[in-house]
Amino acid sequence: MSELDRIRTTLRTSQQATFPRQMQAFGLDLVVQEGVFPPEHFQSWRWISENFPPFDGKTLLEIGCGFGLPGLLLAKTGALSLLTCDINPRAVANTLENAARNGISNVEVIASDIFNNVPPGRRFDIIFWNYPSSYAPEDYEFVHDLEGGAIDPGYNLLERFLSDGPRFLTESGRIVLGFGTNARDDLLEKIAGSNDLTSVLLRAGTYPDVNVTYRLFSISKKATSA
């Protein structure tokens, strides 16, 4: 079975469970609703939550909130504010529910296809995306609505993200990108370079009992010479 087939199978079977599902993570009381990318089967959010770079007092924008983490955890434990979004309206509702359950008030949750609905005047210290980094050919066709949370055919979403993202950063702001095992580092470097961005690996590691390597990249505007 190919990696893409494995992802498809996992996503399909994840929706055969009983909803809502209760879970505890990092001291938060959470629920996962039907039609939301299943956190139990993909552990990148957990590893990233444990390895996120310093964010105290920072304004954050998160792309792809899913059920709410790591964004809600960052908002609760030191971020000044969080604007988080998802193209999936069920994920938006689920994150709002989990924010309310845990008394997290410094968060806004909106429906947005990457930056489409982010107010154009807003600027953020950190823009973060636990990016769906499994590569597929550009003509790959989704058979399940949730596949977009794991797979980016042709890396077209990454191209949009790195092309549009810098205009939402503060002067010293940066992008923090989560990248998985099946990611194409060569394409990340190519896309970053074509947008005058520099990509630096921050951290890499695995989660216990999961045969997946997770990585965090810091992406920022190239320094201009005086």
Side-chain angles (χ1 to χ4, degrees):
M1 178 183 291
S2 72
E3 178 61 17
L4 296 181
D5 287 337
R6 184 194 67 80
I7 291 171
R8 280 180 160 175
T9 300
T10 301
L11 290 171
R12 183 181 67 252
T13 57
S14 74
Q15 299 306 294
Q16 297 170 4
T18 300
F19 293 93
R21 300 197 300 278
Q22 303 273 341
M23 62 181 289
Q24 301 283 327
F26 302 103
L28 300 179
D29 175 28
L30 303 162
V31 295
V32 180
Q33 297 288 357
E34 184 177 6
V36 175
F37 197 78
E40 306 96 327
H41 301 281
F42 297 87
Q43 294 290 323
S44 57
W45 63 272
R46 189 181 295 275
W47 183 87
I48 290 171
S49 295
E50 295 173 345
N51 291 277
F52 204 86
F55 59 91
D56 283 4
K58 304 289 189 183
T59 55
L60 273 57
L61 168 61
E62 179 187 30
I63 305 299
C65 59
F67 78 115
L69 266 63
L72 293 182
L73 179 65
L74 302 179
K76 190 174 180 66
T77 58
L80 178 64
S81 64
L82 169 71
L83 174 61
T84 186
C85 64
D86 204 294
I87 193 173
N88 180 356
R90 293 187 178 187
V92 172
N94 201 162
T95 294
L96 281 168
E97 179 181 8
N98 282 327
R101 289 173 69 92
N102 292 278
I104 304 171
S105 58
N106 59 334
V107 59
E108 302 170 64
V109 190
I110 64 172
S112 184
D113 179 2
I114 309 184
F115 299 107
N116 282 6
N117 289 333
V118 176
R122 296 284 293 273
R123 299 293 182 268
F124 303 89
D125 298 313
I126 297 175
I127 298 175
F128 167 65
W129 193 7
N130 183 9
Y131 167 65
S133 58
S134 291
Y135 180 80
E138 194 159 1
D139 60 356
Y140 178 87
E141 295 184 3
F142 292 148
V143 297
H144 194 288
D145 290 343
L146 295 179
E147 286 184 45
I151 303 166
D152 180 10
Y155 274 22
N156 290 325
L157 295 180
L158 184 61
E159 173 63 52
R160 285 177 53 200
F161 178 68
L162 294 183
S163 175
D164 296 342
R167 64 188 173 93
F168 291 95
L169 290 171
T170 60
E171 188 63 31
S172 60
R174 62 173 172 167
I175 290 168
V176 175
L177 186 73
F179 233 46
T181 293
N182 300 296
R184 289 281 301 273
D185 291 32
D186 59 326
L187 294 181
L188 170 59
E189 291 297 324
K190 179 181 178 181
I191 295 169
S194 68
N195 287 284
D196 293 321
L197 301 172
T198 299
S199 174
V200 176
L201 178 64
L202 291 175
R203 292 174 186 168
T206 59
Y207 203 74
D209 302 321
V210 180
N211 187 27
V212 178
T213 299
Y214 303 121
R215 289 168 293 161
L216 282 173
F217 284 89
S218 174
I219 302 172
S220 57
K221 304 170 188 175
K222 288 183 178 178
T224 57
S225 57

